[in-house]
Amino acid sequence: MTEITLRDAVSKGLREALDRDDSVFLMGEDIGAYAGAYVVTKGFFDEYGPERIRDTPISESGVVGAAIGAAMGGMRPIVEIMTVNFMLLAMDQIVNHAAKLRYMSNGQITIPMVIRTVTGGGASLGATHSQMFEGWFASVPGLKVVLPSDPYDALGLLRSCISDNNPVIFSEHALLYNITGDVPDEEYTIPLGKASVKREGADVTIIAYSRMVHVALEAAGALSTKGVSVEVVDLRTLRPLDVDTIIESVKKTGRAVVVEETWKTGGFAGEIVSTIQERSFDYLDGPVLRVGGIDVPTPYSEDLEAAVMPTPERIIDAIDNGFGL
Amino acid sequence: MSLSTKNMDAELAAKLFELMCLIRRFEEESARLYMLGKIKGFLHLYIGEEAVAAGAIPPLREDDYIVTHYRDHGHALARGLKPNAIMAELMGKETGCSGGKGGSMHLFDTEKGFMGGYAIVGGQLPIATGLALAIKQRGQDQVVACFFGDGAVNEGEFHEALNLAALWKLPVLFFLENNLYGMGTHVERSRAGGKDIFDAASAYKIPAKQINGMDLSEVRETTIDALNRVRSGDGPVFLEAICYRFRGHSMADPSAYRKSTEVDEWRDKDPLESFKQTASQQGLLSAEDVLRISDSVEKTVKEAILFGEESARPPAESLYEHVYAE
């Protein structure tokens, strides 16, 4: 075991892929000479050269489209889109083309492409740079959507993403790059579509992904001092979604709260809530709750932004109000 | 109107004339089948533009790629996709070139390097650029021929793709089929730069040329030169073929935005008729050739329709197939 940051876990996964497979190459805005906006590709440009670490113009649609084409032509591109906010500029390529070409061509086209991006708020970056759209992408058949919450998951999942033969979106939360965790020295992978129970408990299940896993774990720790035993399920991938792990946990605890950083209205949490009602209604001891981002554009000023985010306190209040625990 | 038949012998003239006739008759029959409800959805006919596909596509090498737009039947036929498989696709049958899941706008045959018809205007340009990037990353010498219409040039993806391809010196032939209308809007009503679109390529220092898209030989000769240049590794080339669709944008289009006199003027330049005249005058095409070609085309199209009609619809279990690759 070695203790590394999530940033280093991602770098390690990228290096391995570049070392092992000549068809893998990286492209994105300022990933080369600049080393990446979040410094994930530090040193890569000198080591692998400008063709495999390909700096691109600021042309998200063009770049994602080019990655799709390169993948169709037998390469395994890994694109970095600086933040998920900028992926809106590439929606046509991601949703209309990447997600559908295999199906529309009756299996003739294969697109082994990873889009790495940075997601989430909490860094005073204002309304246009603090969003999370992974739930939107997760509603599109043909895409896979992955959000690691710690270094171990980041490396294991990234390995699976890169070896996957489909377009995969891999979202790294900006506030998680510096968290540390133990990573085995021997090779391991984590399959896409397998959630992780990050804490076992008996009374309530909290379902979360990305940074909200840490917020949920904090709430669980605080609740344990009140004698409430909380189980925390980290989805890790929104698509494919590991429904079985969610349902198994809810059947055990009888209570569920879905925590999501993005807006509550139309969020992916609603999808999970519905699935729980459909699959485990008879096991529920109360309504399935949601704690989500407040429905406003994320404000810049610190206190206001903090008020938008789900917090351990809001989760604890929800459990208290909803379940009397 | 007299055209040239430069570098063309009788065999080639007959072959390319037959291809244009095949596209024409295939499209006419598609229109008929659409009216009968045997073809559904959108149907965009290539009638009037045959000289472009028949001129530009046969010079491509077998291992080159083609990426095109939703008016794609002509390109598919020119690339040698089986008429049977195309017709079956239009009819939504499992024997279609896209298994009945693509439809008229999404024909595919990757074994022939036919990497698809794309139906979001401009969306295919970055993808073509990426295919060319794969070629360059592997150090190969194939070319990507990317077809698009005048409607695509006001999309951001057009400019992003031209910039990337020129910046990275990628082997793309950007082939603009300027049929003067983006759906019903004339190019002069949609583009500040006016109707001569090839000028746009100069912003990216891409060599560009405008040609007569109704002239098979001119399209062919210019494309051969362009392909040689692209294959030499100096980056993309841009061709603009001025052409005209004789029918509406799609079968749903009553063509209220253009005068019938304008359509008639262009019909006088019919690429099939004018090529037939020129090639006949120059002794490359005999009356017997024309009859033989007509018979052969009728037979091919009839067979394709029969094949489509007799083929089964995709089985229910295919619904879930190919959403993801293994």
Side-chain angles (χ1 to χ4, degrees):
Chain A
M1 288 284 189
T2 310
E3 192 181 36
I4 61 172
T5 62
L6 188 142
R7 174 184 289 106
D8 289 340
V10 175
S11 292
K12 183 176 159 68
L14 295 174
R15 270 182 197 286
E16 280 176 7
L18 285 160
D19 289 338
R20 288 175 192 176
D21 185 349
D22 286 343
S23 64
V24 170
F25 71 100
L26 274 49
M27 60 195 291
E29 294 157 13
D30 277 320
I31 62 165
Y34 189 101
Y38 288 84
V39 209
V40 171
T41 48
K42 192 176 175 187
F44 282 39
F45 193 65
D46 291 337
E47 201 173 329
Y48 298 101
E51 288 185 356
R52 296 192 76 198
I53 310 299
R54 193 171 276 274
D55 276 321
T56 72
I58 302 171
S59 300
E60 287 80 7
S61 192
V63 169
V64 172
I68 293 168
M72 285 164 60
M75 302 298 287
R76 303 187 77 87
I78 303 173
V79 191
E80 178 175 315
I81 297 293
M82 200 177 287
T83 81
V84 76
N85 308 284
F86 311 158
M87 276 170 68
L88 303 197
L89 291 152
M91 280 305 251
D92 175 46
Q93 291 298 333
I94 298 168
V95 178
N96 283 325
H97 305 299
K100 295 174 174 58
L101 279 163
R102 183 168 184 81
Y103 193 78
M104 293 194 304
S105 69
N106 202 30
Q108 293 180 73
I109 300 274
T110 308
I111 303 173
M113 169 183 73
V114 179
I115 302 177
R116 283 183 47 242
T117 193
V118 179
T119 194
S124 290
L125 297 179
T128 61
H129 282 60
S130 305
Q131 306 172 94
M132 290 190 80
F133 295 121
E134 287 76 9
W136 291 6
F137 291 111
S139 79
V140 180
L143 299 178
K144 295 187 180 183
V145 182
V146 180
L147 299 104
S149 68
D150 62 30
Y152 174 84
D153 286 355
L155 180 55
L157 291 166
L158 183 57
R159 284 173 175 151
S160 296
C161 291
I162 295 171
S163 62
D164 201 282
N165 286 322
N166 295 284
V168 185
I169 295 167
F170 185 86
S171 284
E172 301 151 20
H173 198 293
L175 298 190
L176 294 182
Y177 275 123
N178 291 326
I179 63 157
T180 56
D182 284 336
V183 170
D185 298 319
E186 60 275 14
E187 179 103 12
Y188 69 98
T189 58
I190 298 169
L192 306 185
K194 194 79 197 88
S196 159
V197 177
K198 288 287 193 285
R199 178 188 174 115
E200 291 195 15
D203 301 326
V204 187
T205 299
I206 303 180
I207 296 140
Y209 61 90
S210 193
R211 188 173 79 81
M212 287 301 114
V213 172
H214 298 275
V215 174
L217 287 168
E218 215 178 303
L223 283 163
S224 73
T225 63
K226 281 174 62 183
V228 179
S229 168
V230 177
E231 179 145 306
V232 176
V233 174
D234 177 358
L235 294 174
R236 298 198 293 203
T237 63
L238 299 188
R239 191 177 193 117
L241 182 65
D242 182 0
V243 174
D244 289 345
T245 297
I246 299 169
I247 299 304
E248 201 180 308
S249 177
V250 173
K251 282 182 176 174
K252 182 174 77 174
T253 62
R255 299 180 189 90
V257 187
V258 187
V259 181
E260 189 172 41
E261 184 177 318
T262 192
W263 305 294
K264 191 171 166 182
T265 302
F268 198 71
E271 175 66 26
I272 296 166
V273 171
S274 296
T275 303
I276 292 170
Q277 323 261 37
E278 286 164 3
R279 290 277 300 268
S280 50
F281 187 80
D282 290 341
Y283 294 83
L284 292 171
D285 293 331
V288 183
L289 307 177
R290 281 181 296 168
V291 177
I294 305 298
D295 272 334
V296 296
T298 308
Y300 163 69
S301 191
E302 269 175 284
D303 291 350
L304 287 179
E305 183 180 27
V308 164
M309 295 283 172
T311 57
E313 295 70 34
R314 282 181 57 203
I315 297 172
I316 292 164
D317 283 351
I319 288 172
D320 186 8
N321 295 334
F323 305 132
L325 292 175
Chain B
M1 190 174 65
S2 188
L3 308 170
S4 92
T5 50
K6 195 178 149 198
N7 295 330
M8 221 178 265
D9 59 18
E11 193 188 340
L12 184 62
K15 187 183 130 194
L16 296 180
F17 180 64
E18 177 160 359
L19 176 54
M20 289 200 292
C21 292
L22 173 64
I23 297 171
R24 175 70 54 92
R25 287 295 300 133
F26 188 95
E27 296 292 62
E28 285 171 350
E29 285 301 295
S30 297
R32 189 178 62 81
L33 293 163
Y34 188 85
M35 299 311 285
L36 293 173
K38 292 185 176 178
I39 295 172
K40 307 279 187 186
F42 286 135
L43 182 69
H44 307 88
L45 301 176
Y46 200 63
I47 292 173
E49 304 185 29
E50 293 89 346
V52 179
I57 290 177
L60 289 165
R61 233 165 57 181
E62 258 182 41
D63 60 344
D64 289 337
Y65 292 115
I66 294 173
V67 171
T68 186
H69 47 75
Y70 48 81
R71 195 180 304 284
D72 57 353
H73 311 167
H75 305 107
L77 288 165
R79 186 54 171 178
L81 273 72
K82 297 264 178 296
N84 287 12
I86 302 171
M87 188 55 85
E89 187 60 34
L90 303 194
M91 293 183 177
K93 301 299 179 73
E94 66 174 339
T95 53
C97 59
S98 307
K101 284 176 162 170
S104 160
M105 302 192 287
H106 302 296
L107 305 177
F108 288 87
D109 187 344
T110 56
E111 281 187 12
K112 291 198 151 45
F114 196 83
M115 307 306 276
Y118 292 74
I120 305 294
V121 172
Q124 75 274 31
L125 282 100
I127 291 173
T129 301
L131 275 161
L133 177 60
I135 292 167
K136 178 148 181 161
Q137 294 279 103
R138 284 203 297 253
Q140 294 170 329
D141 73 339
Q142 294 129 288
V143 166
V144 183
C146 176
F147 294 89
F148 53 98
D150 46 288
V153 306
N154 300 313
E155 290 280 8
E157 287 176 319
F158 167 84
H159 296 276
E160 293 189 21
L162 260 62
N163 183 52
L164 284 177
L167 185 69
W168 293 339
K169 292 195 182 304
L170 301 179
V172 189
L173 172 59
F174 288 108
F175 203 113
L176 165 60
E177 295 178 315
N178 183 356
N179 65 16
L180 309 182
Y181 290 89
M183 269 189 76
T185 303
H186 193 273
V187 61
E188 286 184 331
R189 293 177 58 224
S190 65
R191 184 168 184 271
K195 67 175 170 46
D196 298 321
I197 298 173
F198 73 107
D199 282 352
S202 68
Y204 305 101
K205 297 192 161 57
I206 298 174
K209 197 172 177 187
Q210 190 181 61
I211 56 176
N212 177 5
M214 310 304 270
D215 182 341
L216 176 73
S217 179
E218 184 175 338
V219 174
R220 181 180 167 84
E221 289 300 314
T222 320
T223 304
I224 289 170
D225 288 347
L227 288 173
N228 287 338
R229 187 158 181 178
V230 172
R231 216 179 293 283
S232 73
D234 281 344
V237 170
F238 189 106
L239 293 182
E240 175 184 18
I242 304 294
C243 52
Y244 200 81
R245 54 172 162 71
F246 296 165
R247 302 291 190 99
H249 166 73
S250 73
M251 290 296 290
D253 171 14
S255 279
Y257 48 84
R258 57 185 194 184
K259 294 198 177 78
S260 62
T261 50
E262 178 186 305
V263 181
D264 290 343
E265 277 170 31
W266 280 93
R267 279 186 186 276
D268 287 344
K269 302 174 197 168
D270 188 318
L272 276 64
E273 281 306 312
S274 50
F275 182 79
K276 186 170 74 180
Q277 266 181 32
T278 305
S280 302
Q281 280 162 12
Q282 297 181 0
L284 296 173
L285 203 60
S286 66
E288 295 78 53
D289 289 334
V290 173
L291 266 180
R292 175 182 54 77
I293 285 168
S294 171
D295 286 349
S296 157
V297 163
E298 287 309 316
K299 189 165 163 273
T300 303
V301 174
K302 201 178 237 179
E303 249 180 49
I305 295 167
L306 193 66
F307 178 80
E309 289 190 312
E310 287 181 348
S311 291
R313 288 192 175 161
E317 60 270 21
S318 74
L319 182 63
Y320 296 102
E321 285 170 4
H322 304 307
V323 179
Y324 292 99
E326 289 299 309

